[in-house]
């Protein structure tokens, strides 16, 4: 009887110990299944910093700068300094001016972008670009440049196709038009008022009509020239 009681006590004690172990094991498993807190600041993939780029025109010719397009005749008679500045868009930077004219002279100190105005777009294809730009100043003259570029935006030729202005008692106008794909006819008129000894004046008017052969990759070639002279006394 005593042995049976002893075995019973041992069995109960062993059972309690096993249940305690199982309970502790379950507790450990539950604790292991708890969500783990992750520090996002240390694990987040950060994008590489982007290089800051200069904001500039990506298009060589911006159509919005020009007032006219596809002109066949060029005439600046009646265009004076105030009208040119008020009606046309002037250049805002010397860099853009140099990009168009591709001329070292424009890097000089006395070159001001405000004295250059966008006039017309003649052609704006990938293979060829043609524009006209007025060069002038308030004190004298304005000339219209006809600029031709290739597919790489390299300047091929620069020709004066029109102009107007004067200084003192002298003034001039020149204007012209394309009569076909290969010929440009330019008319230039120079007027000068000369004081006479008797107190009167005379006006000398010289005019010339020039036919030019039109080339895209080099300056115009003069074909023919007709001169006319006229004197008016006052």
């Amino acid at each position: 009887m005593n042995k049976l009681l002893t075995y019973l006590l041992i069995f109960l004690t062993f059972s309690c110990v096993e249940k305690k172990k199982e309970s502790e094991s379950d507790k450990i498993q539950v604790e292991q299944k708890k969500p783990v807190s992750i520090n996002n600041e240390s694990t987040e993939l950060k994008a590489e910093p982007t290089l800051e780029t200069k904001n500039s025109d990506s298009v060589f010719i911006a159509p919005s700068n020009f007032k006219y397009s596809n002109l066949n005749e060029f005439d600046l008679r009646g265009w004076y300094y105030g009208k040119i500045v008020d009606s046309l868009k002037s250049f805002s930077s010397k860099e853009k001016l140099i990009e168009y004219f591709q001329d070292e002279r424009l890097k000089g100190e006395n070159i001001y972008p405000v004295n250059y105005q966008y006039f017309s777009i003649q052609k704006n294809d990938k293979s060829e670009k043609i524009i006209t730009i007025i060069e002038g100043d308030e004190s004298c003259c304005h000339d219209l440049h006809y600029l031709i570029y290739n597919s790489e935006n390299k300047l091929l030729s620069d020709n004066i196709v029109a102009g107007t202005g004067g200084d003192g008692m002298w003034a001039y106008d020149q204007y012209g038009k394309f009569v076909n794909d290969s010929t440009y006819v330019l008319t230039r008129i120079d007027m000068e008022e000369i004081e006479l000894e008797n107190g009167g004046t005379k006006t000398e008017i010289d005019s010339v009509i020039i036919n030019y052969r039109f080339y895209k990759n080099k300056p115009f070639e003069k074909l023919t020239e007709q001169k006319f002279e006229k004197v008016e006394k006052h």
Side-chain angles (χ1 to χ4, degrees):
M1 184 67 177
N2 290 334
K3 286 184 179 182
L4 181 59
L5 184 58
T6 300
Y7 286 131
L8 182 59
L9 289 174
I10 292 172
F11 175 78
L12 292 174
T13 301
F14 180 80
S15 299
C16 290
V17 172
E18 288 298 322
K19 287 183 179 181
K20 183 178 181 181
K21 286 182 179 181
E22 291 177 1
S23 177
E24 289 178 354
S25 177
D26 291 340
K27 183 179 180 181
I28 292 173
Q29 290 179 4
V30 171
E31 289 178 353
Q32 289 177 345
K33 292 180 181 179
K34 287 183 179 179
V36 179
S37 177
I38 299 176
N39 187 345
N40 291 329
E41 292 182 358
S42 61
T43 60
E44 182 181 1
L45 294 177
K46 295 183 179 180
E48 291 293 329
T50 57
L51 295 176
E52 185 177 355
T53 58
K54 184 179 179 181
N55 185 16
S56 60
D57 291 339
S58 59
V59 179
F60 181 65
I61 295 175
S64 60
N65 289 332
F66 297 84
K67 186 177 181 67
Y68 303 105
S69 62
N70 302 321
L71 298 178
N72 189 53
E73 299 185 21
F74 302 93
D75 191 345
L76 293 183
R77 287 177 295 178
W79 286 82
Y80 51 90
Y81 179 78
K83 180 180 178 180
I84 289 173
V85 173
D86 292 341
S87 304
L88 304 175
K89 186 173 182 179
S90 299
F91 278 72
S92 59
S93 70
K94 186 179 288 189
E95 288 75 18
K96 194 65 179 179
L97 197 61
I98 294 172
E99 184 180 4
Y100 277 159
F101 281 92
Q102 300 176 21
D103 192 336
E104 291 295 321
R105 72 178 177 86
L106 297 179
K107 295 182 179 180
E109 295 182 356
N110 296 324
I111 302 298
Y112 305 102
V114 69
N115 290 331
Y116 294 78
Q117 285 77 34
Y118 301 91
F119 196 72
S120 70
I121 294 181
Q122 298 300 116
K123 196 171 185 179
N124 192 15
D125 297 334
K126 290 183 178 180
S127 59
E128 184 183 35
K129 302 170 183 66
I130 305 175
I131 59 175
T132 64
I133 294 173
I134 292 180
E135 175 183 9
D137 58 70
E138 184 177 3
S139 62
C140 180
C141 312
H142 294 84
D143 290 323
L144 185 63
H145 293 258
Y146 192 90
L147 304 164
I148 305 175
Y149 307 88
N150 63 12
S151 60
E152 298 176 350
N153 301 332
K154 179 182 178 182
L155 182 65
L156 298 178
S157 65
D158 176 1
N159 295 276
I160 304 297
V161 293
T164 190
D167 185 16
M169 301 176 73
W170 165 81
Y172 83 102
D173 284 304
Q174 61 181 16
Y175 50 93
K177 65 178 181 179
F178 287 98
V179 294
N180 54 47
D181 292 340
S182 61
T183 307
Y184 186 77
V185 179
L186 176 72
T187 299
R188 180 180 174 107
I189 301 174
D190 287 85
M191 296 169 288
E192 185 175 6
E193 189 173 2
I194 301 173
E195 295 181 352
L196 302 175
E197 293 181 356
N198 60 7
T201 62
K202 69 174 182 178
T203 302
E204 293 184 351
I205 302 174
D206 297 327
S207 60
V208 58
I209 299 175
I210 305 174
N211 288 288
Y212 286 103
R213 177 73 69 192
F214 169 61
Y215 294 99
K216 294 182 178 180
N217 59 348
K218 62 180 180 180
F220 289 177
E221 177 187 351
K222 185 185 295 186
L223 297 177
T224 61
E225 180 178 304
Q226 290 179 289
K227 292 184 177 181
F228 306 89
E229 295 181 0
K230 183 179 180 180
V231 177
E232 296 181 354
K233 292 185 179 181
H234 304 281

